[in-house]
């Protein structure tokens, strides 16, 4: 058995028998390197060859399940499927936006934010939802009062994804905020405020995608296709926005199995 252990766990440094004083006590802290090595040897010798985990069988009665969706996007409503030419043009426009953002990132990052702009911390999920969507959308208030129409209150309508804002976001923050908004979108309706932030965050997302970002954007495209399929009023502006996000995820970020078939 010892020879097998030697093969599986070879010694990094040779350690022979240590010459220790007769009063060596392994129960007290070692005072010399030799005492330390001897203590390690003694502790290793006491370890059993086989260790069996003590598992509570009651915790195994309910089998854990993991739901993984591998399906593609739902098709667009009849008459609303985007043409291949339209999709190619959107990808070209999006690529130009990303190049411009990367080129001028340092400039925009150096610009001072207005005094009313306080970006939440990366881990503040509720803070980011309110910052991006505004209290009106976040709290699902249908309309603004007359007094609120007199001026723009960004706390209520949400801050737009200004270059001076998104240029300050590192990749960890971009991914986190994208996750927060996709999670919110999973149970809520699509809004212009949500759409503009999703577009901006996708523009900030670096390639090659990290696994987490890869999963997020696929989830986003599927959710867009679900909302699009359930669109009863056939709002062309909203369907076009949903088509755009699906197009960017599938054709710019190379998730071709999610792409709309050209009409």
């Amino acid at each position: 058995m010892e020879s097998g252990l030697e093969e599986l766990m070879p010694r990094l440094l040779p350690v022979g028998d240590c010459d220790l004083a007769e009063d060596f006590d392994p129960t007290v802290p070692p005072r010399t390197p030799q005492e330390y090595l001897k203590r390690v040897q003694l502790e290793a010798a006491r370890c059993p060859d086989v260790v069996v985990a003590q598992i509570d069988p009651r915790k195994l009665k309910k089998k854990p399940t993991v739901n993984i969706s591998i399906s593609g996007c739902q098709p667009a409503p009849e008459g609303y499927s985007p043409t291949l030419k339209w999709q190619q043009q959107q990808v070209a426009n999006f690529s130009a936006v990303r190049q411009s953002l990367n080129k001028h990132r340092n400039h925009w990052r150096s610009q001072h934010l207005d005094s009313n702009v306080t970006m939440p911390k990366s881990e503040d999920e509720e803070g980011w939802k309110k910052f991006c969507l505004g209290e009106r959308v976040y709290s699902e208030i249908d309309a603004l009062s007359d007094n609120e129409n007199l001026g723009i209150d960004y706390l209520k309508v949400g801050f737009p994804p200004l270059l001076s804002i998104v240029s300050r976001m590192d990749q960890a923050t971009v991914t986190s905020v994208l996750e927060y908004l996709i999670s919110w979108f999973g149970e809520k309706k699509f809004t212009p405020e949500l759409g503009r932030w999703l577009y901006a965050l996708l523009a900030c997302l670096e390639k090659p995608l990290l696994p987490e970002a890869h999963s997020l954007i696929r989830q986003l495209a599927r959710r867009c296709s679900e909302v699009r399929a359930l669109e009863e009023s056939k709002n062309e502006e909203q369907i076009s926005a949903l088509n755009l996000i699906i197009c960017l995820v599938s054709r710019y970020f190379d998730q071709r199995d999610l792409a709309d078939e050209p009409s």
Side-chain angles (χ1 to χ4, degrees), residues 8-23:
L8 292 174
M9 297 182 292
R11 293 177 178 177
L12 296 179
L13 295 173
V15 178
D17 293 334
C18 300
D19 295 329
L20 301 174
E22 294 182 359
D23 60 347

Side-chain angles (χ1 to χ4, degrees), residues 85-100 199 203 244 248 252:
K85 182 178 180 180
W86 182 89
Q87 295 183 65
Q88 291 172 337
Q89 184 60 54
Q90 302 311 313
V91 169
N93 294 343
F94 183 68
S95 179
V97 168
R98 285 172 61 91
Q99 291 177 12
S100 178
Y199 186 94
L244 174 58
L248 298 180
Y252 184 86

Side-chain angles (χ1 to χ4, degrees), residues 123-188:
E123 65 275 11
D124 185 1
E125 179 173 353
E126 300 308 312
W128 273 109
K129 289 176 184 177
K130 293 178 181 178
F131 183 87
C132 299
L133 305 175
E135 294 179 358
R136 180 174 62 87
V137 173
Y138 178 82
S139 303
E140 298 182 285
I141 301 173
D142 292 333
L144 297 174
S145 67
D146 292 338
N147 291 335
E148 290 171 335
N149 285 323
L150 297 176
I152 298 177
D153 184 346
Y154 287 114
L155 293 177
K156 289 185 168 57
V157 302
F159 289 91
L162 302 174
L163 290 173
S164 56
I165 293 177
V166 297
S167 294
R168 285 173 160 80
M169 300 170 66
D170 57 22
Q171 282 300 291
T173 303
V174 169
T175 304
S176 294
V177 177
L178 190 60
E179 180 180 6
Y180 301 153
L181 296 183
I182 292 174
S183 174
W184 186 89
F185 184 34
E187 300 178 354
K188 308 292 183 180

Side-chain angles (χ1 to χ4, degrees), residues 46 52 58 71 86 121 186 200 236 256:
R46 297 193 196 103
V52 179
R58 293 173 296 179
S71 61
W86 182 89
K121 294 183 179 180
E236 292 190 15
R256 297 304 175 95

Side-chain angles (χ1 to χ4, degrees), residues 9 27 36 77 85 133 215 223 229 263:
M9 297 182 292
T27 62
Y36 170 77
K85 182 178 180 180
L133 305 175
S215 175
R223 177 56 181 164
S263 58

Side-chain angles (χ1 to χ4, degrees), residues 11 15-18 34-47:
R11 293 177 178 177
V15 178
D17 293 334
C18 300
Q34 290 77 14
E35 289 186 0
Y36 170 77
L37 293 173
K38 186 62 177 180
R39 182 170 178 175
V40 171
Q41 290 175 334
L42 292 173
E43 290 178 352
R46 297 193 196 103
C47 294

